[in-house]
Amino acid sequence: MTVFVDEIKKEQIQNIERFEAAPAVDRAFVEKAIQHVLAKIDQSLEVFTDKFPDSNSENLVYKPIENVEWTTSFWTGMLWLAYEYTGDEKYRKVAEIQIDSFKERLEKRIEVDHHDLGFLYTLSCVSAYKLTGNEEAKSIAIQAADLLITRYHDKAGIIQAWGDLNDPAQRGRMIIDCNMNLPLLYWASEVTGKTIYREIAESHIEQAAKYIVRQDASTFHTYYMDPETGKPLYGNTHQGYADDSCWARGQAWGIYGFPLSYHYTQDWSLIELSKKLTNYYLNRLPEDQICYWDLIFTDGEEERDSSAAAITACGLLEMTKHMPLTDPEKKVYENAALVMMQSLYENYTTDIQSEANGILKHAVYYKAGGRGVDESCIWGDYYYFEALIRLVKDWKMYW
Ligand code: GLY
């Protein structure tokens, strides 16, 4: 695997004093924040046992849905985090009920025609296997990896994001979000000894680094490759403001996704790349350090995307874990993660007494589509909780 990142620009972090000192995010702070998360999970545990929260809230309330969205596993992942933190069997019980639902979904091929199999089966089943040794969950997750690699175009070296492989609108289209789905493949190689999963993941991350990341270290949301010739075609957006703007959550998927591939490949250039994406991101934050939904906006009335901030915090914590103490950027990025977590807790969490059943407010799912705008998004809740867990223990990733 060869990832060339030298030509990609690394901006200097502006106003670096924002991140020079650690904010007051001590253990007591984090435990208080976790108590809020657990209270909100408990509020919904019964409703979301046989059903799942929708991808986004409406008026801050997630409706119950069947296991059909790309996002259902974020709730199950939160249950595993809650089980891991508290040891309380009530969370494990519900998570295990949900594994049956993920099994059925895969067997019946219900809404699995996309790359998000990684999110779905890592957080529901790989987590179960890693935490409890659940062999059935392991087998389901391997089957999900088998399905995910059918989306690979070998000439282009990429996993197609959405839809039928012959759909002209989607054929050969990769997206930055897919970085997060590759751990399922690396893991499948580890547990089966078959190298094919890992080879596909490495090929995809290499192509994502080469084509989705722009020269200025911003990212396209999506990028088309010609599956017949392997030729790179063009980038465009689906959820961002414009084709040439930088969708904040896409950047966040990159900031976290490249270090996840580093974890499995040990290719340091992936960390260097994530640093560059991070600096681009940090330089476009407003005063409270929580990004707008697209990084083209740096002040004004546009909505924030708290979910992108939570993903970024996890990405920074993963990235800095691998950086040596001698690296002067390590503390800066760690502090940046803490500053974001403090801001999220203090300004973006739902009222514990309210009927809001999410954790974070002020996220944006799909602005142009009018879906989940200034609402809670279930992945934002998951990543916020994951970041908190990372701050209280040496967390062994589900990814
Ligand atoms: N992966 C889709 C999204 O971030 O909205």
Side-chain angles (χ1 to χ4, degrees):
M1 178 172 145
T2 346
V3 180
F4 294 108
V5 301
D6 292 355
E7 283 166 22
I8 296 168
K9 183 175 165 191
K10 185 173 186 186
E11 293 184 353
Q12 291 290 326
I13 300 174
Q14 306 296 312
N15 306 321
I16 199 160
E17 61 281 2
R18 289 176 289 168
F19 311 123
E20 270 169 352
V25 178
D26 56 10
R27 196 172 177 99
F29 178 100
V30 176
E31 282 173 356
K32 202 165 128 202
I34 290 177
Q35 288 314 315
H36 168 259
V37 175
L38 293 174
K40 284 294 171 189
I41 292 178
D42 289 351
Q43 186 181 325
S44 308
L45 196 57
E46 208 177 309
V47 181
F48 300 140
T49 293
D50 297 319
K51 295 255 165 72
F52 295 80
D54 203 348
S55 308
N56 58 275
S57 63
E58 287 171 30
N59 299 320
L60 294 183
V61 176
Y62 293 118
K63 284 189 308 209
I65 59 164
E66 299 299 329
N67 191 355
V68 291
E69 281 283 0
W70 66 274
T71 52
T72 46
S73 60
F74 290 110
W75 169 254
T76 317
M78 288 169 71
L79 297 177
W80 284 122
L81 291 174
Y83 171 64
E84 197 179 339
Y85 179 73
T86 63
D88 193 327
E89 292 289 329
K90 71 181 176 188
Y91 301 116
R92 175 175 175 171
K93 207 170 130 207
V94 176
E96 285 177 344
I97 290 171
Q98 296 189 347
I99 290 175
D100 291 340
S101 165
F102 283 97
K103 180 179 180 202
E104 186 187 353
R105 180 169 175 175
L106 193 61
E107 279 170 1
K108 297 192 176 157
R109 298 289 194 261
I110 300 166
E111 299 291 340
V112 287
D113 206 6
H114 51 69
H115 69 130
D116 292 315
L117 290 158
F119 285 122
L120 289 172
Y121 288 88
T122 301
L123 292 181
S124 60
C125 292
V126 176
S127 48
Y129 173 64
K130 287 186 177 173
L131 287 177
T132 70
N134 185 326
E135 286 292 331
E136 188 179 28
K138 175 185 174 188
S139 157
I140 298 166
I142 294 169
Q143 290 166 51
D146 284 331
L147 186 59
L148 181 54
I149 61 172
T150 64
R151 306 190 64 75
Y152 183 64
H153 291 287
D154 56 353
K155 282 238 164 57
I158 60 109
I159 294 169
Q160 181 177 317
W162 299 311
D164 189 280
L165 295 180
N166 293 312
D167 174 355
Q170 300 301 342
R171 191 166 158 73
R173 190 180 199 185
M174 65 168 154
I175 70 174
I176 184 76
D177 322 31
C178 189
N179 283 16
M180 302 300 295
N181 291 320
L182 303 179
L184 178 68
L185 301 183
Y186 295 117
W187 169 84
S189 271
E190 279 186 359
V191 294
T192 63
K194 293 186 201 158
T195 57
I196 181 72
Y197 308 103
R198 182 194 172 96
E199 284 159 14
I200 287 177
E202 288 188 358
S203 168
H204 184 95
I205 202 76
E206 204 177 316
Q207 297 296 69
K210 197 162 169 188
Y211 298 114
I212 295 190
V213 180
R214 305 184 184 112
Q215 291 296 301
D216 64 355
S218 67
T219 46
F220 287 113
H221 180 192
T222 94
Y223 198 96
Y224 282 91
M225 306 288 291
D226 184 329
E228 272 64 55
T229 63
K231 209 175 121 201
L233 297 175
Y234 63 95
N236 74 357
T237 198
H238 176 58
Q239 280 152 275
Y241 174 76
D243 290 342
D244 59 358
S245 72
C246 183
W247 179 48
R249 195 159 62 255
Q251 193 79 357
W253 292 136
I255 289 168
Y256 194 3
F258 287 116
L260 286 179
S261 274
Y262 169 78
H263 171 78
Y264 288 98
T265 63
Q266 301 292 296
D267 181 335
W268 188 254
S269 59
L270 294 166
I271 297 289
E272 290 300 332
L273 184 57
S274 189
K275 288 184 183 181
K276 293 178 181 188
L277 266 62
T278 299
N279 290 9
Y280 184 96
Y281 175 95
L282 295 178
N283 284 344
R284 284 154 187 83
L285 295 180
E287 210 168 321
D288 71 358
Q289 310 306 321
I290 303 302
C291 59
Y292 286 90
W293 67 277
D294 192 295
L295 300 181
I296 201 168
F297 305 114
T298 53
D299 60 17
E301 295 305 309
E302 287 288 330
E303 293 81 10
R304 306 302 180 88
D305 183 4
S306 59
S307 76
I311 296 162
T312 300
C314 289
L316 295 182
L317 295 174
E318 178 59 23
M319 179 167 76
T320 51
K321 203 170 85 185
H322 302 294
M323 288 164 65
L325 285 170
T326 50
D327 189 331
E329 289 173 314
K330 185 179 170 85
K331 266 277 155 246
V332 172
Y333 294 134
E334 271 172 8
N335 289 342
L338 296 178
V339 165
M340 288 172 207
M341 291 305 287
Q342 183 180 35
S343 190
L344 286 175
Y345 176 68
E346 288 177 354
N347 308 313
Y348 289 80
T349 45
T350 51
D351 183 349
I352 205 153
Q353 305 296 352
S354 71
E355 64 158 350
N357 56 3
I359 315 284
L360 289 184
K361 304 183 278 191
H362 306 310
V364 171
Y365 181 0
Y366 181 18
K367 174 89 192 233
R371 181 164 181 197
V373 179
D374 198 21
E375 289 285 349
S376 295
C377 288
I378 192 66
W379 58 85
D381 295 353
Y382 169 82
Y383 287 104
Y384 173 73
F385 194 12
E386 182 189 300
L388 292 171
I389 294 293
R390 281 174 176 272
L391 293 176
V392 281
K393 66 184 291 214
D394 178 18
W395 186 61
K396 303 279 174 290
M397 296 197 295
Y398 306 155
W399 306 106

